[in-house]
Amino acid sequence: MATLDAMNQKMGRGTVRLGVARPDAAWQLRCAHRSARYTTNWQELKRLR
């Protein structure tokens, strides 16, 4: 954090930030595009006959 603070102090406030997506970001992930949870959700396991 000290390094981030030093860089922001030198280059201007908000120049360097942690990699966190903003809620209003246009490229934010959507639930419809997520991968299936085969290892964590029994209902999403593939069924073989």
Side-chain angles (χ1 to χ4, degrees):
M1 289 307 290
T3 303
L4 289 178
D5 291 339
M7 290 178 73
N8 281 329
Q9 192 172 33
K10 181 178 180 180
M11 298 180 194
R13 184 177 180 186
T15 302
V16 180
R17 293 181 276 182
L18 295 176
V20 178
R22 295 184 324 247
D24 62 339
W27 49 266
Q28 184 181 12
L29 294 174
R30 308 261 191 284
C31 285
H33 299 130
R34 68 172 168 76
S35 299
R37 301 172 292 181
Y38 300 123
T39 59
T40 59
N41 191 337
W42 286 101
Q43 282 71 37
E44 293 184 18
L45 282 174
K46 297 289 183 188
R47 294 181 186 226
L48 303 175
R49 293 180 187 214

